[in-house]
Amino acid sequence: ITRISDGKVIDVNDAAERVTGYSKEEALETTTIRAKLWARPDDRLKMSAVLMKEGRIHNFETVFRKKSGVLFPVMLSAAVIVFDNDPCIITTFLDISERRRTENLLKARIQLSEAASTGIMNEVIKVAMNEAEKLTDSHISFFHLIDEDSSLILMQKWSESTLKVCS
């Protein structure tokens, strides 16, 4: 729960402590802006505009920042309420990191399946490297196929982003 007038956090539950890494005491001493909870401040402004116009917002997706600095995607819902005679915003949010990982893995599988349907090994390897980079937040990937004697490189492939960096 945050106070509208100054954005001060006035209450948090145990789940918010666990997910964000801020203890209740730490959270109550700050605002979500000072804590830099919103990784994309423009999203906070968008959410606030909807709240002020409609009084509530549901299933708004954004990215929050933990106390450690780690970013994580959330889906939140919020409503304007009165708490201790002050206009406030009550917010609930769900860490959707696992859901995002699953979605991204499914997208990668579809891309690989489509590449495999071409029957072109080079295309499959290229897509596999590009998708692996996305899934691992990597920026470089390559594939070397070496013969049994480890004396000859039979195939060498680089991801699209690696080629851009190295060109």
Side-chain angles (χ1 to χ4, degrees):
I1 299 174
T2 56
R3 198 167 38 220
I4 291 176
S5 62
D6 58 5
K8 184 171 182 354
V9 177
I10 57 174
D11 197 18
V12 296
N13 63 18
D14 295 343
E17 287 183 84
R18 234 180 0 267
V19 173
T20 65
Y22 288 97
S23 69
K24 185 171 188 165
E25 294 74 26
E26 291 170 315
L28 297 179
E29 293 175 0
T30 192
T31 68
T32 60
I33 295 171
R34 279 200 311 260
K36 297 183 179 171
L37 182 68
W38 291 82
R40 299 188 304 221
D42 286 350
D43 281 355
R44 186 185 146 279
L45 296 174
K46 288 176 193 172
M47 184 205 73
S48 295
V50 172
L51 271 176
M52 294 305 109
K53 181 180 178 188
E54 299 177 18
R56 65 184 66 241
I57 191 167
H58 295 287
N59 299 329
F60 182 82
E61 292 190 24
T62 188
V63 178
F64 278 180
R65 180 180 291 108
K66 296 182 182 208
K67 181 181 176 183
S68 66
V70 172
L71 303 181
F72 64 105
V74 298
M75 180 179 291
L76 65 82
S77 293
V80 176
I81 63 168
V82 175
F83 185 82
D84 284 343
N85 296 319
D86 282 321
C88 295
I89 299 171
I90 186 166
T91 306
T92 60
F93 64 89
L94 177 65
D95 179 345
I96 57 172
S97 298
E98 191 58 38
R99 183 171 96 185
R100 281 290 152 76
R101 274 190 288 278
T102 301
E103 289 169 354
N104 291 337
L105 185 57
L106 288 172
K107 288 176 188 174
R109 287 179 176 171
I110 290 168
Q111 292 294 322
L112 280 169
S113 177
E114 290 172 357
S117 71
T118 68
I120 302 169
M121 181 60 77
N122 287 342
E123 184 65 19
V124 174
I125 293 170
K126 180 179 84 173
V127 169
M129 289 188 300
N130 291 337
E131 293 303 317
E133 282 182 0
K134 291 177 195 172
L135 292 170
T136 61
D137 286 330
S138 179
H139 302 290
I140 295 178
S141 66
F142 55 89
F143 174 83
H144 292 195
L145 179 61
I146 301 174
D147 72 355
E148 289 181 17
D149 300 334
S150 299
S151 58
L152 290 175
I153 296 177
L154 301 176
M155 183 187 296
Q156 179 173 300
K157 293 293 169 198
W158 302 85
S159 70
E160 291 172 355
S161 65
T162 301
L163 289 173
K164 287 177 188 174
V165 169
C166 297
S167 296

